[in-house]
């Protein structure tokens, strides 16, 4: 089974669209690095995610070193971003797993380093393709995610997916 390593940006967006339960209906194993979990997800949300099937994976010393090196190389990463992004990247890269991220700098790094990655829009498309969730539910969820003031999803791509999910619902 393919393993997906998620950063917090994808989890937050899917939570905004009320799609976390559906995420675990996909035929993938979902995990996060232990340090990301402790810093960003521990508590009610983390407990819920683990109950749904989220695996918390301990970083090896080598993976931790890689994440720390990334922190120094990518100046746009703040300390919180190191937990949310660099640790997830280091885990995905080292174990040749697929990274789920919405962060532009991290997506660019994945392309540069040859790490397979996807984002929220891919997850929504997979939920539709696999039939885990009704297209109407996905349409409403993506609309809610895109309407959030902190949403950074590309509007043109969001509109394309909304049309594919069922046209112009308002």
């Amino acid at each position: 089974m393919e393993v997906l390593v998620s950063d917090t940006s994808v989890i937050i967006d899917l939570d905004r669209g009320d799609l976390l339960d559906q995420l675990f209906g996909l035929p993938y194993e979902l995990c996060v690095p232990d340090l990301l979990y402790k810093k960003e997800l521990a508590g009610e949300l983390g407990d819920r995610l683990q109950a749904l099937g989220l695996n918390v994976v301990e970083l090896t010393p080598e993976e931790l070193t890689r994440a720390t090196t990334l922190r120094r190389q990518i100046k746009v990463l703040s300390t919180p971003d190191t937990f949310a992004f660099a640790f997830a990247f280091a885990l995905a890269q080292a174990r040749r797993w697929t990274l789920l991220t919405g962060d532009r700098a991290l997506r660019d790094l994945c392309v540069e380093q040859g790490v397979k990655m996807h984002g929220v829009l891919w997850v929504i498309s997979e939920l539709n393709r696999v039939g885990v969730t009704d297209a109407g539910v996905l349409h409403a969820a993506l609309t809610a995610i895109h309407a959030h003031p902190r949403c950074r999803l590309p509007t043109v791509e969001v509109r394309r997916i909304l049309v594919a999910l069922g046209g112009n619902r308002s």
Side-chain angles (χ1 to χ4, degrees), residues 128-168:
N128 187 53
R129 182 187 70 78
V130 174
V132 171
T133 306
D134 176 77
V137 171
L138 292 171
H139 190 285
L142 182 52
T143 299
I145 294 166
H146 192 247
H148 192 277
R150 296 195 68 191
C151 177
R152 297 181 189 152
L153 297 175
T155 300
V156 171
E157 187 69 9
V158 167
R159 287 185 182 144
R160 184 190 67 72
I161 292 171
L162 288 172
V163 167
L165 289 171
N168 296 325

Side-chain angles (χ1 to χ4, degrees), residues 3 29 41 43 45 52-53 59-60 74 80 106 121 130 134 136 161 164 167:
V3 178
E29 180 181 332
L41 298 173
L45 177 59
L52 289 168
L59 291 168
T60 66
I74 305 173
L106 197 49
L121 298 178
V130 174
D134 176 77
I161 292 171

